[in-house]
Amino acid sequence: RHEPLVISTYAPPDLVTPLERALGRDGDDDGVPPSTEEAAQLLLLVDMDDPGLVRSLYAEPEGEAQVIATVHDTGSVVLQPFLDRVNTYLRSHRFPAGEAVATGTVTMIQAFTARLLRNLWPSVALAMILIAACVVRMFRSLKLGALAILPNLFPLAILLGAMRLGGFAVKPSTILVFSVAFGIAVDNSIHLLGRFLDVRQRASLIE
């Protein structure tokens, strides 16, 4: 809760703390009842009032509970160190029973983003090779194949520079924009080269 990225948290102790206070009893500083029996009684009272509320945080048959933390969407550069701190905390603290793991939407998105970043530049390199091969086959010219690829590096470099200066984090949405920009640049290059060859052929016929 003291992390700057965290907006709010919700855990099983948050279910019983208001009820404890209403009954005039105070638990520990962290909101945990002093005994397992008292915790079970308080959870039963909460479950009788709102069954879905308890089951959203604590699944008794499976013996699983969760702490829900809502965080700011600040991009992988800031979120990944936060997740690393959470995982370090979980590994360094022993729990009375069972184990704790970090999961959820943010964890999945970060894993997906890390995979995208690892595969981004190999994918761009492969795409450039394939596009160059296609252009060489279409126009039957190695020079035109090079002309179709090299100019497309400039708008991509400008886009990455603008993202860096603007403070835009690298995440799936910005990677998607990067891929779309690359596709548009290549498409325009092919149209330009096709038009250039058409004009050159017409000029040679006139001569």
Side-chain angles (χ1 to χ4, degrees):
R1 288 176 174 173
H2 299 293
E3 284 279 350
L5 290 179
V6 176
I7 301 173
S8 63
T9 61
Y10 204 53
D14 296 319
L15 296 173
V16 298
T17 299
L19 190 55
E20 275 192 310
R21 292 173 180 170
L23 296 174
R25 295 180 295 189
D26 293 327
D28 297 338
D29 293 336
D30 56 5
V32 178
S35 66
T36 305
E37 292 77 12
E38 184 172 343
Q41 292 174 1
L42 292 172
L43 284 175
L44 178 61
L45 291 175
V46 177
D47 187 60
M48 292 172 61
D49 180 63
D50 189 351
L53 186 60
V54 174
R55 291 165 194 167
S56 65
L57 294 176
Y58 174 58
E60 184 176 2
E62 293 81 8
E64 297 178 351
Q66 65 175 341
V67 176
I68 300 175
T70 306
V71 298
H72 293 283
D73 183 11
T74 53
S76 58
V77 175
V78 179
L79 280 176
Q80 189 57 54
F82 166 72
L83 287 177
D84 292 339
R85 290 194 297 273
V86 171
N87 288 319
T88 300
Y89 175 86
L90 295 179
R91 286 193 300 267
S92 61
H93 287 72
R94 293 183 176 273
F95 296 90
E99 60 179 355
V101 295
T103 183
T105 305
V106 173
T107 305
M108 291 169 47
I109 291 176
Q110 287 303 112
F112 177 67
T113 303
R115 181 174 297 180
L116 281 179
L117 291 176
R118 286 196 303 269
N119 297 331
L120 176 60
W121 295 116
S123 299
V124 170
L126 179 60
M128 292 176 65
I129 293 172
L130 293 176
I131 291 169
C134 291
V135 173
V136 168
R137 181 172 177 80
M138 287 171 57
F139 299 109
R140 304 185 183 204
S141 172
L142 290 175
K143 291 182 179 180
L144 291 179
L147 287 174
I149 293 301
L150 294 178
N152 295 314
L153 298 178
F154 293 103
L156 297 181
I158 292 173
L159 177 60
L160 288 176
M163 288 173 56
R164 183 66 180 268
L165 292 175
F168 294 99
V170 178
K171 49 187 178 180
S173 57
T174 52
I175 291 176
L176 178 62
V177 172
F178 183 84
S179 302
V180 171
F182 181 62
I184 293 174
V186 171
D187 183 65
N188 289 337
S189 297
I190 293 175
H191 282 291
L192 179 61
L193 288 173
R195 181 63 177 166
F196 170 74
L197 286 179
D198 184 49
V199 172
R200 191 174 69 173
Q201 289 175 357
R202 291 182 182 180
S204 63
L205 290 176
I206 293 173
E207 292 177 357

